[in-house]
Amino acid sequence: QVQLVESGGGLVQPGGSLRLSCAASGNQIRFYTLDWYRQAPGKQRAMVASIDSSGNTDYVDSVKGRFTISRDNGKKTMYLQMNNLKPEDTAVYYCHAHWLNNDDWGQGTQVTVSS
């Protein structure tokens, strides 16, 4: 089991950028697949981006070309660089880590895109 703490959310204007961070505990984090999910008001939580232990990445179509997921295993931290943000990106963003029978979530960080 790992503990996950997100940071970096906030209020940004359309077209702006934010970088989210997810700090993880535990010495085996390098084996985990790490994901960013988001949940907008009235909607289900959905995956935004994923990065596996080999560094392979995957994105939902709506963020391709705008968001970049990365990880630094030495710092036990995952990042989500979000550029050209749109109002529809407004949501609580959650960090998720999974490996074998382990499945852990952070508490989330709010991202609001509004003028």
Side-chain angles (χ1 to χ4, degrees):
Q1 186 176 7
V2 298
Q3 282 73 52
L4 303 168
V5 179
E6 302 96 335
S7 61
L11 173 64
V12 63
Q13 292 186 342
S17 298
L18 282 175
R19 188 174 83 154
L20 305 183
S21 298
C22 172
S25 67
N27 294 323
Q28 295 182 313
I29 194 63
R30 64 188 182 278
F31 298 120
Y32 282 69
T33 291
L34 304 174
D35 317 299
W36 286 101
Y37 279 70
R38 66 186 179 188
Q39 187 168 18
K43 294 187 177 181
Q44 290 190 335
R45 192 176 298 188
M47 196 188 79
V48 175
S50 179
I51 184 166
D52 68 13
S53 59
S54 297
N56 299 305
T57 60
D58 192 23
Y59 300 90
V60 67
D61 285 347
S62 61
V63 307
K64 285 181 179 177
R66 300 190 297 123
F67 290 11
T68 303
I69 189 171
S70 61
R71 65 191 294 167
D72 184 332
N73 290 331
K75 295 183 178 180
K76 300 179 184 178
T77 303
M78 173 177 65
Y79 305 97
L80 186 68
Q81 178 66 44
M82 306 186 294
N83 298 327
N84 190 21
L85 282 159
K86 303 176 180 181
E88 52 263 42
D89 295 317
T90 295
V92 178
Y93 284 70
Y94 296 91
C95 178
H96 176 236
H98 55 102
W99 176 52
L100 300 179
N101 293 324
N102 302 298
D103 191 287
D104 300 292
W105 292 88
Q107 292 188 328
T109 185
Q110 176 71 46
V111 172
T112 302
V113 185
S114 175
S115 55

